[in-house]
Amino acid sequence: MSIEQLADIARAMVAPGKGIIAIDESNATIAKRFAAVGIENSEENRRAYREMLLTTPKLGEHISGAILFDETIRQSTKAGVPFTKVMMDNGIIPGIKVDKGTHALAGCPGEVVTEGLDGLRERLKEYAKLGAKFAKWRAVITINEEDGLPTNTCIEANVHALARYAALCQECGIVPMVEPEVLMDGVHDIDECYSVTEAVLLSLFDALRLFGVELEGTILKASMVVSGKDCEEQASVEEVANATVRCLRSAVPAILPGIVFLSGGQSDEDATAHLNAMNQIGPNPWPLSFSYGRAMQSAALKIWSEDLQGNIGKAQQTVYARARDNGLAALGKLGG
């Protein structure tokens, strides 16, 4: 696939008023979500849950793509229609999570590195045949000023892996979504989050250039610049929006087709309000949209759990409402 074709897909992923829904939870992660609402973590329940999400009426009005888990990209609706066909028929681009999760980084206590590069080329080729047009790889950066975290070693190890992953994606005709998540966990203030996020992004784009990754065919999935969740002074919506946009303008090349944000443990309302405020600051060099998981699903999951058959329509109404609100926030028009 040419860089022009990859760029077309990347631009479609951040089309005006649209964003990405992340339904790529591993079986272990979805087990925790299900357990919290009393659902058995069976393959059929996981399939039925993803079907409920992906068949939400009019979802494609505000959702441009969905990140799937390995199990999910191989599944079909109860009627036998592959999920990837359901998505494409509704204008939703199939994506796939390809990393193998975080593991302790040797020599760096308290820090992790994401693994999964071994065999990735072959897996990407298979995912492309299954219909995936983009992929996602998540790195995790922890802030702990008392322990001197993050270390440069951790940052460099993770951005190196992100760059190698991105280069392999483009080689296989898949748009890479690079996700360097700076965790909200901690007592740090918004200024410390800004400094770490800026350093991570600057290192990331240096690594992407080093490995010859074409930025025109790449999407950044970024964390917002926020106060640590245990910080005594929590930044306001306006402070988060201003700090995040300033940080991105400092570190992210304008040639990038777009940036989508993870919710990162924020409440549904905060994630949407922050995105809306950022888009009211513009114009920005790139579209700023969303790639939310829990912030798109949590309310719908609770409704669905109360009656797996009878509450499908009601749960889907909630999914659509969240997609609509975040689509408006991606335009800076929520509540306008």
Side-chain angles (χ1 to χ4, degrees):
M1 189 176 291
S2 68
I3 185 57
E4 289 79 12
Q5 290 171 304
L6 290 174
D8 285 344
I9 294 170
R11 285 192 293 268
M13 291 167 63
V14 288
K18 292 188 177 185
I20 310 290
I21 183 171
I23 55 174
D24 59 337
E25 303 93 344
S26 67
N27 290 350
T29 299
I30 202 73
K32 296 175 185 176
R33 307 268 172 88
F34 279 6
V37 292
I39 299 175
E40 179 190 357
N41 183 30
S42 65
E43 181 178 353
E44 173 53 26
N45 281 345
R46 293 192 299 269
R47 188 209 61 77
Y49 176 56
R50 269 64 182 261
E51 177 175 354
M52 181 274 290
L53 295 170
L54 292 172
T55 59
T56 295
K58 302 187 294 182
L59 187 64
E61 291 180 3
H62 306 289
I63 296 296
S64 60
I67 310 170
L68 308 177
F69 185 59
D70 178 83
E71 177 183 76
T72 314
I73 199 171
R74 305 172 191 278
Q75 290 177 326
S76 302
T77 66
K78 195 169 185 179
V81 182
F83 282 158
T84 51
K85 178 171 173 28
V86 171
M87 294 167 65
M88 295 295 285
D89 287 348
N90 288 283
I92 299 173
I93 304 168
I96 181 72
K97 171 188 175 180
V98 298
D99 68 69
K100 294 291 188 178
T102 59
H103 300 266
L105 180 59
C108 297
E111 297 187 295
V112 295
V113 66
T114 302
E115 298 183 354
L117 289 171
D118 288 350
L120 181 56
R121 178 181 278 114
E122 289 69 31
R123 289 193 290 125
L124 286 168
K125 290 177 180 177
E126 181 187 14
Y127 288 138
K129 290 179 181 177
L130 289 170
K133 303 298 183 185
F134 72 97
K136 188 204 81 168
W137 179 289
R138 173 179 175 256
V140 176
I141 307 296
T142 298
I143 299 177
N144 185 328
E145 293 179 87
E146 185 176 340
D147 293 339
L149 307 185
T151 62
N152 288 333
T153 302
C154 175
I155 293 173
E156 292 305 315
N158 277 291
V159 301
H160 180 270
L162 278 165
R164 288 183 60 193
Y165 139 82
L168 283 167
C169 282
Q170 292 189 340
E171 177 189 290
C172 296
I174 288 177
V175 172
M177 177 185 284
V178 291
E179 180 184 357
E181 178 178 1
V182 177
L183 295 179
M184 288 177 61
D185 300 334
V187 298
H188 56 275
D189 61 18
I190 190 171
D191 293 331
E192 180 64 15
C193 183
Y194 181 101
S195 297
V196 171
T197 303
E198 182 182 48
V200 169
L201 292 174
L202 288 169
S203 294
L204 171 64
F205 285 100
D206 282 346
L208 292 173
R209 291 188 186 95
L210 179 65
F211 281 88
V213 176
E214 301 281 359
L215 296 186
E216 301 97 316
T218 304
I219 293 291
L220 171 66
K221 182 167 180 175
S223 45
M224 299 180 192
V225 178
V226 297
S227 311
K229 66 181 183 183
D230 294 322
C231 180
E232 291 183 1
E233 184 177 345
Q234 291 292 310
S236 68
V237 169
E238 291 72 23
E239 288 171 327
V240 169
N242 284 314
T244 303
V245 169
R246 183 161 54 91
C247 185
L248 294 172
R249 288 177 176 173
S250 168
V252 180
I255 196 172
L256 201 75
I259 299 169
V260 295
F261 291 100
L262 56 96
S263 51
Q266 299 178 64
S267 70
D268 297 3
E269 296 77 14
D270 284 350
T272 305
H274 289 148
L275 178 62
N276 189 61
M278 279 184 247
N279 280 297
Q280 291 179 339
I281 293 172
N284 295 303
W286 354 250
L288 300 178
S289 190
F290 61 93
S291 177
Y292 295 159
R294 276 173 292 181
M296 279 289 299
Q297 301 178 45
S298 57
L301 175 59
K302 187 174 187 306
I303 292 169
W304 184 69
S305 71
E306 294 168 357
D307 186 342
L308 303 193
Q309 295 300 321
N311 275 7
I312 291 175
K314 187 177 179 182
Q316 289 179 331
Q317 289 174 6
T318 302
V319 174
Y320 178 80
R322 294 294 303 141
R324 180 198 61 218
D325 287 353
N326 284 302
L328 289 170
L331 298 171
K333 295 182 177 178
L334 182 67

